[in-house]
Amino acid sequence: MRGWRRWRVAAGLLCALAAAPATAARAPDPAAPGPERPPRENEGRRLGGHTFLLSEFLPNPFITTELSSITSLGLAFLHVPIAGTASVSTYDLAAFSQAAQLQLGFADVFALRFGAAANAESGTTPDAALVAGAMLGYAFGGGAALSGRVGRLRLTASFDVRRRNDYDFDIADAIQRSAAAGTVTTATLLVNTATLSYRPGVQLAFALGPASGIIAHVRFDHDSASTAATASVAATSTTLDAVEAGAALSIDLRAASLVPVGLLFSYNRVSVIHGDGSSHQAGAGLFYTGRYHLSVGLEVRGRFQSLAAGTDETTVEGVLAVRYFW
């Protein structure tokens, strides 16, 4: 009997020793990162129980601290009438842009933002490259926003300034001037255009419920562009004033079904006050909403713009936006 008891005690000790490593493995690691802190109600881009998705095609109405990267790729189709006929020529262009922006929010009331971008555009066929040429450019700017909240409504006033420099390779114009002069001239082959933009605006966000919300905005755009003088061409300057207005519907499926997916639908209209250039654009986006502090979304939009009498441009653009909030 005593032997049997000793055997049972030894077996129990062996089982305990065998289970000890597994128990230790299941113990929490103090150095491991903890779960994401849930956002406070009406903090950052949360309003009325809804976590808003932000469109790259509309201004941000929220006082957030964030760092964002925006990559866009677009195809444009330029429709130009052929003089003396009823026919229209179509030229295909491609464009690429990479931008980054930092916004700093203070006390859910005031925000400062800074950004920079680089872009390129060119015709995709020999005819398009000859007529439309190619363009390289960069831009930088900043802005400020002042915001207040009442219940499920947030109202924000903003003012942004942007400087843009474009370098256009105008092959067709250089050929025409060379033919007229009877000699090769490259004075207009590379043209530098600098544009300074001022954009005061008002934005609002309204939470319809935990799963959806609306963003709307209206903004005044003033662009002042100047083209540098060359050896044979004098400097020129133009101004363009427009009113821009739009809205977006933000839908977070996670709030209703726990699926970490969000949908965004947007519309924007730019109305030039004097002259041509007015445009319509509509877009849709698909977003990952599994983490509040990270937003990853793909937006696609179509835009139709009237450039001059009989000349218009249709653009299809895709944008990949990654935002980190803290």
Side-chain angles (χ1 to χ4, degrees), residues 59-62 113 145 154-160 200-205 215-219:
N60 177 9
F62 296 98
R113 50 180 168 254
R154 176 173 289 278
L155 187 64
T156 303
S158 64
F159 186 84
D160 292 276
V202 177
Q203 305 92 41
L204 67 85
I215 295 175
H217 87 107
V218 61
R219 183 172 70 185

Side-chain angles (χ1 to χ4, degrees), residues 19-113:
T23 304
R26 290 194 298 267
D29 182 4
E36 182 184 36
R37 178 184 66 82
R40 292 188 293 269
E41 190 59 34
N42 301 317
E43 175 190 50
R45 60 191 177 106
R46 276 191 63 83
L47 179 65
H50 177 59
T51 301
F52 277 80
L53 306 175
L54 303 180
S55 174
E56 296 306 320
F57 307 132
L58 276 72
N60 177 9
F62 296 98
I63 305 299
T64 54
T65 295
E66 62 176 275
L67 179 64
S68 58
S69 170
I70 304 101
T71 305
S72 62
L73 181 64
L75 296 175
F77 307 96
L78 181 64
H79 308 288
V80 180
I82 300 176
T85 70
S87 302
V88 175
S89 294
T90 300
Y91 302 100
D92 300 342
L93 300 92
F96 173 82
S97 174
Q98 177 63 52
Q101 179 174 288
L102 172 66
Q103 177 169 292
L104 303 174
F106 302 94
D108 202 36
V109 175
F110 180 70
L112 292 173
R113 50 180 168 254

